Amino acid sequence: MDYYKNYAVKYGRPVADAVADRYGDADSLVRSGNPIIDHMLMHRSIRRFTSDPVAEGDVRTAIAAAQSAATSSNLQSWSVIKVSDPSHKQEVNRLCGNQGQIDDAPLMLVWLADQSRNYAIGEAYDTQLEAFDYLESTMLGMVDTCIAAQNAALAFEALGYGTCFIGAVRNNAEALAALLQLPARCVPVIGLAVGRPHPRHDSDIKPRLSQDIVVHDEVYRVAEGQEITAYDRVMTEFQGKQGMAPHGWSGAVAVRLGTRSALHGRDRYMEFLRVAYMGTR
Amino acid sequence: MDYYKNYAVKYGRPVADAVADRYGDADSLVRSGNPIIDHMLMHRSIRRFTSDPVAEGDVRTAIAAAQSAATSSNLQSWSVIKVSDPSHKQEVNRLCGNQGQIDDAPLMLVWLADQSRNYAIGEAYDTQLEAFDYLESTMLGMVDTCIAAQNAALAFEALGYGTCFIGAVRNNAEALAALLQLPARCVPVIGLAVGRPHPRHDSDIKPRLSQDIVVHDEVYRVAEGQEITAYDRVMTEFQGKQGMAPHGWSGAVAVRLGTRSALHGRDRYMEFLRVAYMGTR
């Protein structure tokens, strides 16, 4: 089953038309026809999987892609944990809000901003270890981690798997760190559920905000309300086609970010970072 | 000039051998032959560029790839600023430590974790806006931003450009935010220098740590000192081939993270975040 070809088969038209779906309209300025770019344009998150396992060789390939991404000063400040043992995965999922896609996926990767390895090196060299006093060393690790994880996601998709990023690894970060036996200065940043896409549950390309809103020329320009309203209309049309409630976009944003309870424990994440880094600034 | 084909031409052997360079050794468990994965395996950062501009259509294509990446709850919590006006770019670069690759690149993108747009939506809907009180909303935006930026980098490379990520946008984040006229709740995370690779300054694939060190099975395993030493040997050999001082790796890590001054102002980044988010936790 080929994730890449499926889109063309399903829609009966060229892959390049994925761009039109991405913006809810044809965008003649976006050129495609490049297989690497088409691959990215066609991304959609997959939340239902078959029971097929993820081959160990494919994991190694995806990790090689992840390690090939840029890394700040070649510090390689990340690690990743493969969680595939069913009962262990269930325990992990319990801390991530018992999500269906984690339950369904044969493999969950937990991506870690990891300065514990570099800290041990600093100790061995008897340095002052000053940078570790600042949460910037975590930030640097987070950037590296996310860049690497995205390469892995693209590699899995290229190998015919589907993926879903899991922000909920930050919901109960302290308990998850304990369960995964993380050392100090090593923190969960993002999860990735991986598996073969279930053929009866493929999803469609989701439209995004216009480039006029997210791209700024030399300095920042605040978007007008009517630009957001235009995207609400695009999303409403998309939701209607999907048989979802046609609520648009901005209302969902307001709900998602309106209340502390919608953070599901992530309001404690910064405090967790401070503890994981042992009282740092 | 084709970034992709250059590697094969330069080395006179199949692209798939990039894997051997990545680990400083043949790794028979990593399979390749897939153009998308090969593209990622062959990445190297480019720091010298020709004077050719980056075509506007290519920027739009790269941004479409960036927007096609996963985004938490479809919140799309990022923006990007194109900096290409020479005198403006020079001012930006002054705040990033006057780096040669920024000076040389015709385009610098500044990627922003941006909750200002979503905050305005929350205000319009008259919600409690509680999630914005927690730095987790920045974290979420940072993850989205980095995932998107990596797609853009891969797209630029697919179009024949070279790229270099710039962590130094966090060196003087407050001054940079003022220069770029960023609203509250919108912060610089990472920069990306983009241009046509200078043909006389192509770089080689840099070896990375063994997968045995960065990948963990079910729970975290602390690496042994001798595993790090083995990578030091790989890096020493690489540096020798490059005509660089053969210092290995761990010594450079110790220097980079040993002192506060090596952070070049990034020790103030967390405090900047707190101010940009107006006194949040």
Side-chain angles (χ1 to χ4, degrees):
Chain A
M1 167 145 156
D2 189 326
Y3 177 95
Y4 184 68
K5 281 190 185 139
N6 253 12
Y7 194 78
V9 170
K10 185 171 175 185
Y11 290 79
R13 57 203 175 92
V15 165
D17 288 353
V19 175
D21 290 335
R22 188 60 75 193
Y23 292 106
D25 193 4
D27 181 336
S28 62
L29 279 174
V30 174
R31 71 180 216 201
S32 187
N34 178 303
I36 292 148
I37 291 169
D38 281 347
H39 182 69
M40 293 188 279
L41 293 177
M42 286 188 309
H43 166 80
R44 55 260 187 231
S45 294
I46 299 293
R47 293 181 174 82
R48 292 295 300 275
F49 304 96
T50 70
S51 57
D52 297 318
V54 180
E56 180 56 27
D58 291 341
V59 176
R60 288 188 72 90
T61 300
I63 299 296
Q67 290 192 279
S68 298
T71 156
S72 180
S73 304
N74 199 29
L75 291 171
Q76 306 180 59
S77 314
W78 59 271
S79 281
V80 61
I81 299 188
K82 296 183 292 181
V83 177
S84 59
D85 175 79
S87 69
H88 185 49
K89 184 159 68 69
Q90 197 171 9
E91 279 189 89
V92 168
N93 198 5
R94 192 174 52 78
L95 299 174
C96 298
N98 292 314
Q99 304 204 31
Q101 55 264 45
I102 299 174
D103 198 35
D104 221 31
L107 174 67
M108 180 177 173
L109 297 176
V110 182
W111 297 87
L112 311 162
D114 185 1
Q115 291 297 7
S116 70
R117 196 161 50 223
N118 293 337
Y119 188 87
I121 289 170
E123 279 186 317
Y125 276 81
D126 203 17
T127 67
Q128 294 170 277
L129 299 163
E130 281 181 357
F132 297 96
D133 286 354
Y134 299 92
L135 280 169
E136 160 62 18
S137 61
T138 322
M139 293 294 142
L140 179 155
M142 284 187 175
V143 172
D144 274 15
T145 304
C146 296
I147 286 173
Q150 176 61 5
N151 263 20
L154 291 169
F156 280 121
E157 289 175 354
L159 295 168
Y161 296 94
T163 67
C164 186
F165 275 106
I166 308 286
V169 297
R170 301 191 302 276
N171 286 12
N172 296 288
E174 194 170 352
L176 185 62
L179 178 63
L180 298 176
Q181 302 176 23
L182 305 189
R185 302 174 191 84
C186 177
V187 298
V189 175
I190 191 86
L192 190 71
V194 187
R196 297 287 178 192
H198 196 293
R200 284 199 305 279
H201 295 274
D202 195 5
S203 46
D204 286 312
I205 286 180
K206 193 179 284 176
R208 298 282 197 237
L209 290 166
S210 158
Q211 292 204 9
D212 296 340
I213 295 178
V214 302
V215 183
H216 307 255
D217 209 7
E218 307 292 346
V219 294
Y220 194 95
R221 179 190 71 87
V222 177
E224 310 276 348
Q226 69 224 40
E227 296 177 277
I228 302 295
T229 310
Y231 179 61
D232 272 328
R233 280 196 297 272
V234 169
M235 278 301 289
T236 302
E237 191 183 333
F238 172 77
Q239 290 155 341
K241 278 188 201 157
Q242 300 285 300
M244 298 156 66
H247 284 154
W249 178 68
S250 53
V253 170
V255 169
R256 173 68 174 72
L257 294 168
T259 62
R260 180 175 178 177
S261 63
L263 291 172
H264 296 294
R266 290 191 219 175
D267 45 309
R268 299 188 310 266
Y269 189 72
M270 280 308 298
E271 194 49 41
F272 159 72
L273 285 186
R274 231 176 296 280
V275 172
Y277 275 74
M278 301 204 232
T280 53
R281 283 154 277 191
Chain B
M1 168 143 154
D2 189 327
Y3 178 96
Y4 184 69
K5 281 187 184 139
N6 254 12
Y7 194 78
V9 170
K10 184 172 175 184
Y11 289 80
R13 57 202 174 93
V15 165
D17 288 352
V19 174
D21 290 336
R22 188 61 75 193
Y23 292 105
D25 195 4
D27 181 337
S28 62
L29 279 175
V30 174
R31 72 180 215 201
S32 190
N34 177 303
I36 293 148
I37 292 168
D38 281 347
H39 182 69
M40 293 187 280
L41 293 176
M42 286 188 310
H43 166 80
R44 56 259 187 231
S45 295
I46 299 294
R47 292 181 175 82
R48 292 294 300 275
F49 304 96
T50 70
S51 57
D52 297 318
V54 180
E56 180 55 28
D58 291 341
V59 176
R60 288 189 70 90
T61 301
I63 299 296
Q67 290 192 278
S68 298
T71 156
S72 179
S73 304
N74 199 29
L75 290 171
Q76 306 180 60
S77 314
W78 59 271
S79 282
V80 62
I81 298 189
K82 296 183 292 182
V83 176
S84 59
D85 174 79
S87 69
H88 185 50
K89 184 160 66 69
Q90 197 171 8
E91 279 190 88
V92 168
N93 197 6
R94 192 175 50 80
L95 299 174
C96 298
N98 291 315
Q99 304 205 29
Q101 55 264 46
I102 298 175
D103 199 34
D104 221 30
L107 174 67
M108 179 177 174
L109 297 176
V110 181
W111 298 87
L112 310 163
D114 185 1
Q115 291 297 6
S116 71
R117 198 161 47 224
N118 293 336
Y119 188 86
I121 289 170
E123 279 186 318
Y125 277 81
D126 203 17
T127 67
Q128 294 170 276
L129 300 163
E130 281 181 359
F132 297 97
D133 285 354
Y134 299 91
L135 281 169
E136 159 62 19
S137 61
T138 321
M139 293 295 142
L140 178 155
M142 283 186 175
V143 172
D144 274 16
T145 304
C146 296
I147 286 173
Q150 176 60 6
N151 263 20
L154 291 169
F156 280 120
E157 290 175 353
L159 294 168
Y161 297 94
T163 67
C164 184
F165 275 106
I166 309 286
V169 297
R170 301 191 302 276
N171 286 13
N172 296 288
E174 195 171 352
L176 186 61
L179 178 63
L180 299 176
Q181 302 176 23
L182 304 190
R185 303 174 190 83
C186 177
V187 298
V189 174
I190 191 86
L192 189 72
V194 186
R196 296 288 178 191
H198 196 293
R200 284 199 305 280
H201 295 275
D202 195 5
S203 46
D204 286 313
I205 285 181
K206 194 179 283 177
R208 299 282 196 238
L209 289 165
S210 159
Q211 292 204 8
D212 296 341
I213 295 178
V214 301
V215 184
H216 308 256
D217 208 7
E218 306 294 345
V219 295
Y220 195 95
R221 180 189 71 86
V222 176
E224 310 275 348
Q226 69 225 42
E227 296 176 277
I228 302 294
T229 311
Y231 179 62
D232 273 328
R233 281 196 297 271
V234 169
M235 278 301 289
T236 301
E237 193 183 331
F238 172 78
Q239 290 156 341
K241 278 187 201 158
Q242 300 285 301
M244 297 155 67
H247 285 155
W249 178 68
S250 53
V253 170
V255 168
R256 173 68 175 72
L257 293 168
T259 61
R260 179 176 179 179
S261 63
L263 291 172
H264 297 293
R266 290 191 219 174
D267 45 309
R268 300 187 311 266
Y269 188 72
M270 279 308 298
E271 193 50 40
F272 159 71
L273 285 186
R274 231 177 296 281
V275 172
Y277 276 73
M278 301 207 232
T280 53
R281 283 154 277 191

